[in-house]
Amino acid sequence: MSASESPSSTATLLVACDDCPGLVAALAQALYNQGANIFHAEQHTDSVAGRFFQRIHFEDPELEGPDREAAESRLLATVRAVGARYGMKWQLRFEERPMRMAIFVSKTDHCLYDLLLRHRSGELLCEIPLIVSNHESLRPVAEQFGVPFQVFPIDSKNKAEVEARELEVLAENEVDLVVMARYMQILTENFIGQFKERIINIHHSFLPAFAGGRPYHQAFDRGVKLIGATAHYATGDLDEGPIIEQDVIHVSHRESVADLVRLGKDVERTVLSRAVRLHLESRIFVHNNRTVVFTG
Amino acid sequence: MSASESPSSTATLLVACDDCPGLVAALAQALYNQGANIFHAEQHTDSVAGRFFQRIHFEDPELEGPDREAAESRLLATVRAVGARYGMKWQLRFEERPMRMAIFVSKTDHCLYDLLLRHRSGELLCEIPLIVSNHESLRPVAEQFGVPFQVFPIDSKNKAEVEARELEVLAENEVDLVVMARYMQILTENFIGQFKERIINIHHSFLPAFAGGRPYHQAFDRGVKLIGATAHYATGDLDEGPIIEQDVIHVSHRESVADLVRLGKDVERTVLSRAVRLHLESRIFVHNNRTVVFTG
Amino acid sequence: MSASESPSSTATLLVACDDCPGLVAALAQALYNQGANIFHAEQHTDSVAGRFFQRIHFEDPELEGPDREAAESRLLATVRAVGARYGMKWQLRFEERPMRMAIFVSKTDHCLYDLLLRHRSGELLCEIPLIVSNHESLRPVAEQFGVPFQVFPIDSKNKAEVEARELEVLAENEVDLVVMARYMQILTENFIGQFKERIINIHHSFLPAFAGGRPYHQAFDRGVKLIGATAHYATGDLDEGPIIEQDVIHVSHRESVADLVRLGKDVERTVLSRAVRLHLESRIFVHNNRTVVFTG
Amino acid sequence: MSASESPSSTATLLVACDDCPGLVAALAQALYNQGANIFHAEQHTDSVAGRFFQRIHFEDPELEGPDREAAESRLLATVRAVGARYGMKWQLRFEERPMRMAIFVSKTDHCLYDLLLRHRSGELLCEIPLIVSNHESLRPVAEQFGVPFQVFPIDSKNKAEVEARELEVLAENEVDLVVMARYMQILTENFIGQFKERIINIHHSFLPAFAGGRPYHQAFDRGVKLIGATAHYATGDLDEGPIIEQDVIHVSHRESVADLVRLGKDVERTVLSRAVRLHLESRIFVHNNRTVVFTG
């Protein structure tokens, strides 16, 4: 969004459908007829899957007009019509209503701080109605940033019940996105199913290497010369979800496991924040357990 | 280009014009009406300069039909019409006719080898009708790859005359792009003017740091912890042309000037090859001495 | 330092002298005779300058014995004797007494947060007796971390006088290291002279490119494809001091100046923290305006 | 080695033994007494394994004297004495006799070219007495560089017999190091056993991810955002040997498998060449299937 753009008149459209000629023209024409002005469009055709993906970031001046509701409805109707014609999966987000993000944490604070600081400095356009934890440890951090903090202790017996209460709280807070910022609990398939492609997890290895527990210990034992982190959508298969973002740093024989943990924190927080930002800006599609990420 | 695409039916359109509503729709519609199918489109609006840039990679089945010449003419007429309506600067390249690239070298061979190997393995889609040098040294390399090699010795007095003959040879060979692969001569403004935005040079520093001669010596003296390389279009102002690509690597106090030269070669060849590839695929615009590079 | 090492018995010796045979043996033997055990030694010979540098990290069990003071004196006497024999410049730091670091800030908080968080998590072994600023803005951050915050407003007329008071406060607090964490004032030569090679500044460009003010604006105007940051010791020549650490990230035509500022913050804080850590661990020598940095 | 050093008087000593006090002093003193001058020493203590490693690069002027053989013998005797005292595993290499490296290839040429070009430019200090292949394809490359090329076709039945002949040829050529530069055959345990820690292989993924065949296909299917390469010593367990060097590059949804193969070639050749260089300079120890790599 350039300096002159106003959040109240801009929106982002994501569409995915089977590839066929004329898609780009049809969408551009429909928006143009509606009076919209395209700021940026990015597209991808997965020629193996025969699938077309497009993200269109545009402005519709009528959204700032006297009857916003009517303007939104007209836009939705326009997109619905094109979408129906081509069998599109689509999503339209108005920038005036940023997503609402809940952060789940345990005891480690580096990812939480990173998200809160970037949010405060305006890098992450979202609302953060609450932080959820299974421990009290990070309450002071939440308080520093004025974000409500709710603790749900979990033991081997109460997980289903606790998750049910967490889901209630997320619903009450109209949460769109759950970010697991080094939350050390495995969510059940039921929970994940209710936030399909809306739960981002950070795993502290360059997946698929070192899936499962204690990845830095595994990395040390294998003697790798790189350590990394992977942000992915949570799915029922642990550490197998679609990958959004990954990065690594070089290490050597000099680093102990403790050093790897320390160095890895920098990669974890960077990778997680980048993935969250991409999601908040509606830049990610998921297809066949792979992501299409528009960064242009 | 995906596996199913055929070079004989594909083309790339570049357009640049002042920004206004409807540009994306107008271009997409015009190509669609013509029977073309857009594989990929990428666009950028420079909101400071108020300038719109788009690259459209598309297929027109009629280009493979019985009358290719007529199909090309129709496409050109279509683009010309839209272009005139919006005051566009535009360029249409048919993939069936790859660019023709001349490589200028002196005595250093790493960039030359890199370009020739990538060309032979199909990474650089172009023809290489000749290699030009002011020395005999690299003739054996040219011969290994079966590329004509012409030597034009240069001294303080004959530069204008030599360049005139070089320009003749380039014209005879219908050269589209000149790549200075560590060519240690400064071209005159006259020469550069005849290949505006079609001469790529590699400078062995992360410009604007260490412009001018002996950049690795300068880097050593300043004690930097990074060395790099910059590929840019040649202009009359030495080392001041629009930057296409840059990269760096980390160095330490352990490296002597000779080490910097050795390590730098890897960055130089990588950066130069990337820039050449971007140019050959018609991915670069120049505006106000800055480049817009579409990598999507 | 490995897990089994105890800060109360370890020390680090830095020596620099003209190169000659036998230096490594002389130092190793002297420490061995004293009962010390070398954990790690790293050395460098600058063959251009004919200069030898070594960092020795070792343990002396007597430092944990009944008479620490006597043990320290014996070690100092040992080093002094070898040092005198070879004309060495040397420095001996006992880990039991970490350095004391003052952080200077203005209004930007990302570097400050990064230093405070890393300090709290144990990554930066030092004490932080105070934060100095020319503005009130960041007092809440200092308070969250329980660090005293002193404000010294500066205008065009009072700089000499303010610096005099700052120097007093630094002396009272026995400060060893001053870190300019985006402190937007130029220190006078007098101030710098009193903390020679003990003031670390972060400049938001890959120096020597874009020295001086507004480096991101300069970078945008030049159209570079990399932006970076440089941590260096402050000297009387602005942005010309010995470079400790540098890094860059890739950018494209898509980034506005505001984007560069945002993206650059990540590089700035990482580069500054690395440089501070290197200094706190006594890993840096300065010679001829270049640094020798032992990272092994 | 600095400019003033002469290969004929320099040597490199590698030692590994259980950690105990006085090792550094003992080695430095022994070499000093012998008249040697240490250019560079690097050490590492693996505190988990209680193991000490050191690499010492030094000059002994007597090696250039009238009786080189006697000088070598004296040095060997000195090292043998210290080694016996501390139970050291050690290795002493005289730079006058560079290693002899055989390159094994199949049909892919990028790693082969990279090694041959770096060898010719003086980056890899070794002799290359022969290239071995199971195909004729790359004979012209070998011929361009004047290196003997021997073909040993392999089928399902003749592997043992062919390897026996290959081992003979390696012995005849006094080969110290075998480099598998994308050699598409699995060596038997017998072959590997005869070149323990002297066979370097390049695997085209960031191991342990995507071990086994077709790693780029695996990477594409998993949708990773990084691809990489790993150079390791070959062991009986395929892709499980000690890792010497790794690197990665970023990729996106845009890359097809063919693109990954193309982009990966750059990482493969860089990683392999770095590993080979480290081995040729006697910078690598192996312990517990991990490497200690001295890069200082």
Side-chain angles (χ1 to χ4, degrees):
Chain A
M1 192 166 69
S2 75
S4 59
E5 295 165 27
S6 149
S8 56
S9 66
T10 56
T12 301
L13 172 63
L14 297 184
V15 303
C17 63
D18 288 342
D19 193 26
C20 74
L23 290 167
V24 176
L27 284 160
Q29 198 63 52
L31 289 172
Y32 181 64
N33 293 343
Q34 167 75 17
N37 183 29
I38 297 178
F39 286 137
H40 190 65
E42 203 171 357
Q43 67 182 85
H44 173 62
T45 307
D46 179 333
S47 55
V48 176
R51 194 88 183 154
F52 171 86
F53 305 89
Q54 191 171 31
R55 175 184 186 270
I56 305 178
H57 180 62
F58 65 94
E59 170 189 55
D60 181 348
E62 299 207 3
L63 290 170
E64 288 188 314
D67 192 348
R68 173 163 182 115
E69 214 171 307
E72 284 196 11
S73 298
R74 273 197 301 276
L75 262 178
L76 284 161
T78 298
V79 173
R80 193 174 297 119
V82 187
R85 180 149 34 112
Y86 292 98
M88 288 169 173
K89 249 179 84 175
W90 58 270
Q91 195 188 340
L92 183 61
R93 290 202 68 89
F94 296 101
E95 253 151 65
E96 199 175 55
R97 292 195 291 282
M99 292 190 202
R100 292 169 66 81
M101 170 170 87
I103 307 176
F104 278 48
V105 293
S106 291
K107 293 178 173 173
T108 329
D109 67 1
H110 58 284
C111 286
L112 177 61
Y113 259 112
D114 203 63
L115 291 168
L116 292 172
L117 286 168
R118 286 182 201 275
H119 178 252
R120 194 164 73 187
S121 73
E123 284 180 48
L124 299 177
L125 297 169
C126 63
E127 285 161 14
I128 306 182
L130 87 158
I131 297 169
V132 169
S133 184
N134 53 336
H135 293 286
E136 279 292 338
S137 327
L138 299 181
R139 185 179 295 278
V141 180
E143 283 172 357
Q144 280 168 29
F145 288 83
V147 180
F149 186 83
Q150 298 205 23
V151 174
F152 296 88
I154 294 185
D155 60 35
S156 54
K157 296 174 197 150
N158 68 356
K159 178 167 278 191
E161 175 198 336
V162 167
E163 279 195 355
R165 277 190 290 135
E166 288 171 343
L167 285 167
E168 269 176 42
V169 173
L170 296 178
E172 280 161 22
N173 283 280
E174 299 178 66
V175 164
D176 299 291
L177 173 67
V178 170
V179 175
M180 298 171 73
R182 298 298 310 274
Y183 177 64
M184 305 309 277
Q185 289 290 324
I186 295 171
L187 301 175
T188 65
E189 290 219 28
N190 171 47
F191 189 108
I192 291 168
Q194 302 206 25
F195 276 85
K196 194 165 181 300
E197 290 161 22
R198 294 190 297 143
I199 303 173
I200 296 178
N201 183 39
I202 181 76
H203 183 83
H204 37 315
S205 83
F206 49 96
L207 288 173
F210 313 128
R214 294 164 61 94
Y216 292 124
H217 288 79
Q218 293 182 54
F220 181 86
D221 290 344
R222 181 62 187 92
V224 288
K225 301 299 184 189
L226 300 168
I227 56 166
T230 304
H232 63 92
Y233 287 118
T235 59
D237 297 315
L238 193 65
D239 301 333
E240 294 287 334
I243 293 171
I244 303 167
E245 177 72 347
Q246 299 188 283
D247 214 340
V248 295
I249 50 168
H250 288 263
V251 295
S252 79
H253 61 272
R254 300 230 176 263
E255 274 75 54
S256 64
V257 172
D259 292 328
L260 299 186
V261 169
R262 169 177 63 80
L263 292 167
K265 291 196 298 185
D266 282 351
V267 199
E268 293 165 29
R269 64 180 187 174
T270 310
V271 166
L272 180 59
S273 290
R274 273 192 229 142
V276 167
R277 185 175 161 96
L278 291 166
H279 183 97
L280 293 176
E281 296 182 351
S282 299
R283 295 180 173 279
I284 314 176
F285 290 88
V286 176
H287 189 67
N288 290 346
N289 208 45
R290 305 170 79 242
T291 58
V292 169
V293 180
F294 287 135
T295 56
Chain B
M1 192 166 71
S2 76
S4 60
E5 295 166 27
S6 150
S8 57
S9 66
T10 54
T12 301
L13 173 63
L14 298 183
V15 304
C17 62
D18 288 343
D19 193 27
C20 72
L23 291 167
V24 176
L27 284 160
Q29 199 62 53
L31 288 172
Y32 181 64
N33 292 342
Q34 167 74 17
N37 183 28
I38 296 177
F39 288 136
H40 190 65
E42 203 170 357
Q43 68 183 84
H44 172 62
T45 308
D46 179 333
S47 55
V48 175
R51 194 87 183 154
F52 171 85
F53 304 89
Q54 191 171 30
R55 176 185 185 269
I56 305 179
H57 180 62
F58 65 95
E59 171 189 55
D60 181 348
E62 299 207 4
L63 290 169
E64 286 187 315
D67 191 349
R68 172 162 184 116
E69 215 170 306
E72 285 195 10
S73 297
R74 274 197 302 276
L75 263 178
L76 285 162
T78 298
V79 172
R80 192 174 297 118
V82 187
R85 182 151 30 114
Y86 293 98
M88 289 169 173
K89 247 179 87 175
W90 58 270
Q91 194 188 344
L92 182 62
R93 290 202 67 90
F94 297 101
E95 255 153 64
E96 199 175 54
R97 290 194 295 280
M99 292 189 202
R100 293 169 65 81
M101 167 170 87
I103 308 176
F104 277 48
V105 294
S106 290
K107 294 178 172 173
T108 329
D109 67 0
H110 58 285
C111 286
L112 177 61
Y113 259 112
D114 203 62
L115 292 168
L116 292 172
L117 285 169
R118 287 182 200 274
H119 179 251
R120 194 164 74 188
S121 72
E123 283 179 50
L124 298 177
L125 297 168
C126 64
E127 286 162 12
I128 307 184
L130 88 157
I131 297 169
V132 169
S133 184
N134 54 334
H135 293 286
E136 278 294 337
S137 327
L138 299 182
R139 184 180 294 277
V141 181
E143 284 173 354
Q144 280 170 29
F145 288 83
V147 180
F149 185 83
Q150 298 204 21
V151 173
F152 297 88
I154 294 185
D155 60 34
S156 55
K157 295 172 198 154
N158 69 355
K159 178 168 276 188
E161 176 197 336
V162 167
E163 280 196 354
R165 278 190 290 133
E166 287 171 343
L167 284 167
E168 268 176 45
V169 173
L170 295 178
E172 280 160 23
N173 283 281
E174 300 177 64
V175 164
D176 299 292
L177 173 66
V178 170
V179 175
M180 297 170 74
R182 300 296 312 272
Y183 178 64
M184 305 307 279
Q185 289 288 325
I186 295 170
L187 302 174
T188 65
E189 290 219 27
N190 171 48
F191 190 108
I192 290 168
Q194 303 208 22
F195 278 85
K196 193 167 181 298
E197 289 161 24
R198 294 191 297 143
I199 302 172
I200 297 179
N201 184 40
I202 181 76
H203 183 83
H204 37 316
S205 84
F206 48 96
L207 288 173
F210 311 128
R214 295 164 59 94
Y216 292 125
H217 288 77
Q218 294 182 54
F220 181 86
D221 289 343
R222 181 61 187 91
V224 288
K225 301 300 183 187
L226 300 168
I227 57 166
T230 303
H232 63 94
Y233 287 117
T235 59
D237 296 315
L238 192 65
D239 302 331
E240 295 287 334
I243 293 171
I244 302 168
E245 175 73 349
Q246 297 187 286
D247 214 341
V248 295
I249 51 169
H250 288 262
V251 296
S252 79
H253 60 273
R254 299 229 175 263
E255 273 75 54
S256 64
V257 172
D259 292 327
L260 299 186
V261 169
R262 170 177 63 79
L263 293 167
K265 291 195 300 183
D266 282 351
V267 199
E268 292 165 30
R269 62 179 189 177
T270 310
V271 166
L272 179 60
S273 289
R274 273 192 228 142
V276 168
R277 186 177 161 95
L278 291 166
H279 183 98
L280 293 176
E281 296 182 349
S282 300
R283 295 179 173 279
I284 314 175
F285 290 88
V286 176
H287 188 68
N288 289 346
N289 208 45
R290 306 170 79 243
T291 58
V292 168
V293 180
F294 287 136
T295 58
Chain C
M1 190 166 70
S2 76
S4 60
E5 294 166 26
S6 149
S8 56
S9 66
T10 55
T12 301
L13 173 63
L14 297 184
V15 303
C17 62
D18 288 343
D19 193 26
C20 72
L23 290 167
V24 176
L27 284 160
Q29 198 62 54
L31 288 172
Y32 180 63
N33 292 344
Q34 168 75 17
N37 184 28
I38 296 178
F39 287 136
H40 190 65
E42 203 170 356
Q43 68 183 83
H44 173 62
T45 308
D46 179 333
S47 55
V48 176
R51 194 87 182 156
F52 171 86
F53 304 90
Q54 191 171 31
R55 176 185 185 268
I56 305 178
H57 179 62
F58 65 94
E59 170 189 56
D60 182 347
E62 299 208 3
L63 290 170
E64 288 187 313
D67 191 348
R68 173 162 183 117
E69 213 171 309
E72 285 196 10
S73 297
R74 273 195 303 276
L75 263 178
L76 285 162
T78 298
V79 173
R80 192 174 297 119
V82 187
R85 182 150 32 114
Y86 292 97
M88 288 168 172
K89 250 179 82 175
W90 59 270
Q91 193 188 342
L92 183 62
R93 289 203 68 91
F94 297 100
E95 256 153 65
E96 200 176 53
R97 292 195 292 281
M99 291 188 202
R100 294 169 64 80
M101 169 170 88
I103 307 177
F104 277 49
V105 294
S106 290
K107 294 179 172 172
T108 329
D109 67 0
H110 58 285
C111 286
L112 177 61
Y113 258 113
D114 202 62
L115 291 168
L116 292 172
L117 285 168
R118 286 181 201 274
H119 179 251
R120 194 164 74 185
S121 73
E123 283 180 47
L124 298 177
L125 297 168
C126 63
E127 286 161 12
I128 307 183
L130 88 157
I131 296 169
V132 169
S133 184
N134 53 335
H135 293 287
E136 278 294 336
S137 328
L138 299 182
R139 185 180 294 277
V141 181
E143 283 172 356
Q144 279 169 29
F145 288 83
V147 180
F149 186 83
Q150 299 204 21
V151 174
F152 296 87
I154 294 186
D155 60 35
S156 55
K157 296 173 198 152
N158 68 357
K159 178 167 276 191
E161 175 198 336
V162 167
E163 280 196 354
R165 277 190 290 133
E166 288 171 342
L167 284 167
E168 268 176 44
V169 173
L170 295 178
E172 280 160 23
N173 282 281
E174 299 178 66
V175 164
D176 298 293
L177 173 66
V178 170
V179 175
M180 297 170 74
R182 300 296 312 272
Y183 177 64
M184 306 307 278
Q185 289 289 325
I186 295 171
L187 301 174
T188 64
E189 290 219 28
N190 171 48
F191 190 107
I192 291 168
Q194 304 208 22
F195 277 85
K196 193 166 180 300
E197 290 161 23
R198 295 190 296 143
I199 302 172
I200 297 179
N201 183 40
I202 182 75
H203 183 83
H204 37 316
S205 84
F206 48 96
L207 288 172
F210 311 129
R214 296 165 58 96
Y216 292 124
H217 287 78
Q218 293 183 54
F220 181 86
D221 289 343
R222 182 60 189 92
V224 288
K225 301 299 184 188
L226 301 167
I227 57 166
T230 304
H232 63 92
Y233 288 116
T235 60
D237 296 316
L238 193 65
D239 302 332
E240 295 286 335
I243 293 171
I244 303 167
E245 176 72 347
Q246 298 187 286
D247 215 341
V248 295
I249 50 169
H250 288 263
V251 296
S252 79
H253 61 272
R254 300 231 176 262
E255 274 76 54
S256 64
V257 172
D259 292 328
L260 299 186
V261 169
R262 169 176 64 79
L263 293 167
K265 290 196 300 185
D266 282 350
V267 200
E268 292 165 31
R269 64 181 188 175
T270 310
V271 166
L272 180 60
S273 289
R274 273 192 229 143
V276 167
R277 185 175 161 95
L278 291 166
H279 184 98
L280 293 176
E281 296 182 349
S282 300
R283 295 179 174 280
I284 314 175
F285 290 87
V286 175
H287 188 67
N288 289 346
N289 208 44
R290 306 169 79 240
T291 59
V292 168
V293 180
F294 287 136
T295 58
Chain D
M1 191 168 68
S2 76
S4 60
E5 295 165 27
S6 150
S8 56
S9 66
T10 55
T12 301
L13 173 64
L14 296 184
V15 304
C17 63
D18 288 343
D19 192 26
C20 72
L23 291 167
V24 176
L27 284 160
Q29 198 63 52
L31 289 172
Y32 181 63
N33 292 342
Q34 168 74 16
N37 183 29
I38 296 178
F39 287 137
H40 190 64
E42 203 172 356
Q43 68 183 81
H44 173 62
T45 307
D46 179 332
S47 55
V48 176
R51 194 87 182 155
F52 171 85
F53 304 89
Q54 191 171 31
R55 176 185 186 270
I56 306 178
H57 180 61
F58 65 94
E59 170 189 55
D60 181 348
E62 299 207 4
L63 290 169
E64 287 187 314
D67 191 349
R68 171 160 184 118
E69 214 171 305
E72 284 196 11
S73 298
R74 272 196 303 275
L75 261 178
L76 284 162
T78 297
V79 173
R80 192 175 296 118
V82 187
R85 184 154 27 118
Y86 293 97
M88 287 168 174
K89 248 179 85 175
W90 58 271
Q91 194 189 342
L92 183 62
R93 289 202 69 89
F94 297 100
E95 255 152 65
E96 198 174 56
R97 291 195 294 279
M99 292 190 201
R100 291 170 65 82
M101 169 170 88
I103 307 177
F104 278 49
V105 293
S106 290
K107 293 178 173 172
T108 329
D109 68 359
H110 58 284
C111 286
L112 177 61
Y113 259 112
D114 202 62
L115 291 168
L116 292 172
L117 285 169
R118 287 182 200 274
H119 178 251
R120 195 164 74 187
S121 72
E123 284 180 49
L124 299 176
L125 297 169
C126 64
E127 285 162 13
I128 306 183
L130 87 158
I131 296 168
V132 169
S133 184
N134 53 336
H135 293 287
E136 278 294 336
S137 328
L138 300 182
R139 184 180 296 277
V141 181
E143 283 173 355
Q144 280 169 29
F145 288 83
V147 180
F149 186 82
Q150 298 204 23
V151 174
F152 297 87
I154 293 185
D155 59 34
S156 56
K157 295 173 197 153
N158 69 357
K159 177 168 277 191
E161 176 197 335
V162 167
E163 279 196 354
R165 277 190 290 134
E166 287 172 343
L167 285 166
E168 268 176 44
V169 173
L170 296 178
E172 280 160 22
N173 283 279
E174 300 178 63
V175 164
D176 299 292
L177 172 67
V178 170
V179 175
M180 297 170 74
R182 299 298 311 273
Y183 177 64
M184 305 307 279
Q185 289 289 324
I186 295 170
L187 302 174
T188 64
E189 290 220 28
N190 171 49
F191 190 107
I192 290 168
Q194 303 207 23
F195 277 84
K196 193 166 181 299
E197 289 161 24
R198 295 190 297 144
I199 303 173
I200 296 178
N201 183 39
I202 181 76
H203 183 82
H204 36 316
S205 83
F206 49 95
L207 288 173
F210 312 128
R214 295 164 59 95
Y216 292 124
H217 288 78
Q218 294 182 54
F220 181 86
D221 290 343
R222 181 61 187 91
V224 288
K225 302 299 184 188
L226 300 168
I227 57 167
T230 304
H232 63 92
Y233 287 118
T235 60
D237 297 314
L238 193 64
D239 301 332
E240 294 287 335
I243 293 171
I244 303 167
E245 176 72 348
Q246 298 187 285
D247 214 341
V248 294
I249 50 169
H250 288 262
V251 295
S252 79
H253 61 272
R254 300 231 176 261
E255 273 77 52
S256 64
V257 172
D259 292 328
L260 299 186
V261 169
R262 170 177 63 79
L263 293 167
K265 291 196 299 183
D266 282 350
V267 199
E268 293 165 29
R269 64 180 188 175
T270 310
V271 166
L272 179 59
S273 289
R274 273 191 229 143
V276 167
R277 185 176 160 96
L278 292 165
H279 183 98
L280 293 176
E281 295 183 350
S282 299
R283 295 180 173 278
I284 314 176
F285 291 87
V286 175
H287 189 67
N288 291 345
N289 209 45
R290 306 170 78 243
T291 58
V292 169
V293 180
F294 287 136
T295 57

